[in-house]
Amino acid sequence: TDLVDKGELQGKRVFIRSDLNVPRDAEGNITEDTRIRASIPAIRDALKGGAAVMVTSHLGRPKEGEFTPEESLAPVAKRMSELLGQPVELKRDWIDGVDVQPGQVVLLENARFNKGEKKNSDELAKKMAALCDVYVNDAFGTAHRAEATTYGIARYAPVACAGPLLAAELDALTRAMTNPYRPMMAIVGGSKVSGKLEVLRKLADKVDSLIVGGGIANTFLLAAGYPVGKSLIEEDLVEEAKSIMAMMKYRKASVPLPVDVVCAKEFAASAPATVKKVSDVKPDDMILDIGPETAKLYASLIAKAGTVIWNGPVGVFEFDQFGGGTKAVAEAIAHSRAFSLAGGGDTLAAIAKYGIADKIGYISTGGGAFLEFLEGKTLPAVDILMQRANH
Ligand code: 3PG
């Protein structure tokens, strides 16, 4: 924005790294386009400044050095063109030169089709840097990866800076984590404790209450001595769950566990759902959601919070009979006066499903990057931009 205001983009070649890694269905159709929509302001800014605009991203995790149609950015180019209201040409081979004029936007095909992207090959990064006058990193969702388009290029491009989305994400996350309005609450759901262990530990040291959901909650219930039947759990993390609960208790903070749950005999879209007290779960039961009493309890806590950080659903909300808990949590956040911050792919899908996007304080486009920020880790793509700014 600064460069636009100073007229420094006029006639310049601007290379924007966005995170357009969006979820797709089996036919390759985009099922959720938040990241594409979030990439538009940076592109519009560059166009307004009079630049020739190149945009790229990774999509999925293709084998490098090959073109695979399943991971092509073609559907993204189409959606981007609709959102921008101007053509967006997809450039298949772009490493050795890109033909683009001021006022035009081209999308450079999946950055991970280039050999050396993930390993941040120096040679590749230099070639990319040679394509542009200004490099803009606007890919918060990929900020935890040090790849050629997120890291190396920032070292060699004539000018390197953060785009508006990256800047806004860092601002919102920093605001929520330093000097949060209290009580501060975190809701961490999802299937596994292992994937969220570090973030759980970090939050346990900071928040006033921690709500766990999904498979994570099952492991916590087991750690608290409840029967969990054949629910998804991680036996080897029961001790970790106990230590997190002990730490919270020591700090006089709370981990309000479910008092009732929704169970089924199998994990299936058509599986009949039964509400049970947590102490009544049978050996052949699978816990697939929180129950209505728990939903009410969590909603009342959310209503009193000053800050709510939300990552991960509390039940298998893809199946409607196990979506009541996540829906109740989503609606409570939507009605709460707390500053709410939500992030992660499943969380974005739940927000979309329950139509509450405009009621969330800030929706992060980051999944892994969002978690690493909450863990207090340095994000390499941000770090390299800081290094450039300080030299
Ligand atoms: C994400 O979706 O978290 C980012 O786009 C990063 O993708 P990756 O895990 O394949 O690097």
Side-chain angles (χ1 to χ4, degrees), residues 19 21-24 31-35 140-141 189-190 196 310-313 317-318 326 342-353 363-371:
D19 186 334
N21 185 28
V22 287
R24 292 148 297 144
T31 52
E32 211 280 315
D33 68 354
T34 305
R35 285 178 165 179
F140 175 74
K196 307 248 169 114
W310 182 24
N311 173 264
F317 74 99
E318 300 88 320
T326 302
D346 290 340
T347 313
L348 256 60
I351 287 170
K353 178 161 181 173
I363 299 176
S364 176
T365 55
F370 178 71
L371 290 177

Side-chain angles (χ1 to χ4, degrees), residues 13 15 54 94-98 122-135 152-153 156-158:
R13 294 169 64 87
F15 183 111
M54 296 167 268
W94 51 273
I95 277 302
D96 295 313
V98 178
D122 220 35
E123 195 191 333
L124 184 66
K126 281 182 185 158
K127 277 189 165 183
M128 287 171 176
L131 297 173
C132 66
D133 302 303
V134 179
Y135 165 75
I153 185 175
Y156 301 118

Side-chain angles (χ1 to χ4, degrees), residues 233-260:
I233 53 137
E234 284 163 294
E235 193 92 54
D236 52 336
L237 289 169
V238 166
E239 288 307 314
E240 281 288 350
K242 280 187 188 163
S243 106
I244 287 169
M245 286 191 282
M247 180 157 138
M248 293 287 283
K249 196 170 170 200
Y250 177 76
R251 287 181 51 235
K252 298 200 169 29
S254 69
V255 187
L257 291 180
V259 291
D260 61 349

Side-chain angles (χ1 to χ4, degrees), residues 19 38 120 197 280 367 381 384:
D19 186 334
N120 183 29
L197 189 57
D280 290 347
I384 187 74

Side-chain angles (χ1 to χ4, degrees), residues 325-348:
T326 302
K327 183 169 190 235
V329 163
E331 284 173 353
I333 295 174
H335 289 117
S336 151
R337 288 163 61 192
F339 175 68
S340 53
L341 175 64
D346 290 340
T347 313
L348 256 60

Side-chain angles (χ1 to χ4, degrees), residues 51-88:
V53 186
M54 296 167 268
V55 185
T56 195
S57 170
H58 70 288
L59 182 66
R61 293 175 176 172
K63 187 162 172 263
E64 285 188 1
E66 272 172 38
F67 171 84
T68 42
E70 300 76 45
E71 273 103 12
S72 167
L73 285 175
V76 175
K78 183 164 171 277
R79 184 77 190 109
M80 184 177 272
S81 155
E82 288 162 7
L83 290 164
L84 270 175
Q86 76 175 65
V88 175

